[in-house]
Amino acid sequence: MPDSHLDAAVLASLQDVMEDEYPVLLDTFLTDSDERLRHLVAARQSADAQALRLAAHSFKGSCSNMGAVLLANLCKQLEEAARREQLDDVPALIEQIEREFAIVRILFRAERQRYR
């Protein structure tokens, strides 16, 4: 897996810890991430900086825990923009997050296929 998108060491650690439940973790992350993206978009549409900050913070933690380093970094940038109430930066950041998550989704689905 490309290092720029996923941290192989984090995934290896998760595999060791989760054992047979690792595929379930991957599935859960993908499902939860779709919901987190919906929260980001909804907060942007309502121009709710606080909701956007909280949603970005939550998504950042989830991505970080799963080794999605670039996605976590983009969420951190969005969280900081929302904290500063710089909402002009938000649409471009959410677009970047959506693009990066599309890549991560493909990589995690490929990872998931290894356990069928």
Side-chain angles (χ1 to χ4, degrees), residues 1-2 5-6 11 15 22-23 26-27 29-30 66 101-116:
M1 277 179 222
H5 298 286
L6 297 177
L11 291 180
Q15 288 171 10
Y22 178 66
L26 296 173
D27 292 341
F29 173 76
L30 292 175
M66 292 298 295
F101 179 62
I103 294 167
V104 167
R105 180 187 290 121
I106 290 166
L107 295 172
F108 274 143
R109 284 183 176 160
E111 175 77 358
R112 179 68 173 86
Q113 288 298 315
R114 295 177 37 205
Y115 295 91
R116 292 205 184 258

Side-chain angles (χ1 to χ4, degrees), residues 49-91:
Q50 175 70 358
L52 191 58
R53 183 185 67 77
L54 292 172
H57 178 79
S58 177
F59 198 14
K60 176 188 72 177
S62 176
C63 294
S64 181
N65 289 341
M66 292 298 295
V69 290
L70 184 54
L71 191 53
N73 185 43
L74 289 168
C75 290
K76 180 180 178 185
Q77 291 175 44
L78 180 59
E79 179 185 11
E80 291 170 0
R83 184 185 339 275
R84 294 188 308 268
E85 297 190 8
Q86 294 178 328
L87 300 184
D88 291 344
D89 299 341
V90 167

Side-chain angles (χ1 to χ4, degrees), residues 34-44 51-52 55:
D34 284 331
E35 184 65 22
R36 292 175 198 280
L37 271 175
R38 282 192 285 279
H39 286 286
L40 290 178
V41 170
R44 179 192 78 201
L52 191 58

